[in-house]
Amino acid sequence: MSVHDLTELLAGKRIAILTGAGCSTESGIPDYRGEGTLARARNPIQHREFMQQEATRKRYWARSTIGWPRMSRAEPNAAHRAIAELEALGRTTGVITQNVDRLHHKAGSRNVLELHGALADVRCTACGERESREALQHRILELNPTFADADSIARFRMAPDGDAELEDATIDDFHIPPCAVCRGVLKPDVVFFGGSVPRERVDAAFAILDAADVLLVVGSSLAVFSGFRFVLRARDRGMPIAIINRGPSRGDEHARVRVDANAGDVLPQCVPASALAGASTGTVSILAGSAASSRNERHST
């Protein structure tokens, strides 16, 4: 189907947006299932292994120490910016993102529900104390000064977890800082594979969906149930579903419109041209045909 079919479906409707890793690949953040995945495939971090095995935690934090500077410097792409413009126009009920990169926030979106948390936050598994990932990076480098070598960082390939591929020998001598308050085990405040999304977070995401007229899935294969559940909910409610994704997705049979393309190429075409022009001067203009509906649709969830 075409971008024209997509814009026709979205016209005049309140949109709930569900984003996956494919929304961020154009910002240089790799995914697990997109093009090129098989060339770099490895198992994602498992929640139980991280919690029970110090070797797994050491491997994760060593890789993260290399990958974090590049992750934190990643910039939003055209897809993130178009989503933020749609929110500014009052066309969205919110963004439910499976991503942990905070790029929607960087692009200017405000009503964002981070289904799986964010790598920018760290939490102690013992006392619950929170710490920014940037602050932890400084503590890590104090204990592991060789990891601060910029030349070493540049030669490693970034991986989907916001970390990097490292040889075992590089990891063996790595030291993990404990919680600064209770010396407990630190964990990125994200839901690893095999972990559970908190019930209240799922309920808040369903509220975003239930307030909408249409569900727009952007850059997700929907292979993981935590995202696919929103497609099932939309289907059960008789809500039209649109999917933008490179390659097939688990939700294709339920989609009214399916566009196989990069999100950054498609989404800007769904934003009124006058709004994009206005954005360059710090203002937002709405096409006359959608102004009334946009005013009526503006709300928070």
Side-chain angles (χ1 to χ4, degrees), residues 87-187:
E87 180 184 284
L89 290 168
R91 303 308 309 277
T92 68
T93 59
V95 176
I96 306 164
T97 185
Q98 299 169 270
N99 299 335
V100 293
D101 51 38
R102 287 268 161 92
L103 290 182
H104 285 298
H105 296 80
K106 282 188 177 182
S109 291
R110 295 292 177 263
N111 189 12
V112 181
L113 188 144
E114 296 172 315
L115 197 63
H116 298 151
L119 289 172
D121 301 324
V122 178
R123 181 176 57 83
C124 176
T125 60
C127 72
E129 178 72 11
R130 293 183 180 276
E131 182 176 8
S132 75
R133 180 64 185 81
E134 196 61 39
L136 179 62
Q137 183 78 355
H138 291 299
R139 294 209 289 133
I140 288 175
L141 294 180
E142 287 178 355
L143 290 177
N144 304 275
T146 59
F147 277 68
D149 182 358
D151 291 335
S152 295
I153 291 174
R155 70 186 177 89
F156 291 111
R157 184 171 57 187
M158 192 170 180
D161 284 321
D163 53 10
E165 301 287 359
L166 298 181
E167 300 89 351
D168 289 342
T170 307
I171 298 171
D172 288 342
D173 295 328
F174 185 82
H175 301 284
I176 309 172
C179 170
V181 174
C182 75
R183 302 194 65 77
V185 171
L186 295 175
K187 176 182 175 295

Side-chain angles (χ1 to χ4, degrees), residues 181-239:
V181 174
C182 75
R183 302 194 65 77
V185 171
L186 295 175
K187 176 182 175 295
D189 198 13
V190 300
V191 179
F192 284 139
F193 281 78
S196 299
V197 179
R199 183 71 245 178
E200 63 272 14
R201 197 179 298 171
V202 174
D203 290 341
F206 277 139
I208 290 174
L209 178 65
D210 291 345
D213 302 313
V214 59
L215 171 63
L216 174 61
V217 179
V218 180
S220 177
S221 67
L222 300 168
V224 179
F225 182 75
S226 64
F228 185 55
R229 73 180 96 196
F230 301 105
V231 169
L232 297 180
R233 173 89 155 216
R235 178 204 64 187
D236 293 345
R237 294 185 63 233
M239 177 186 295

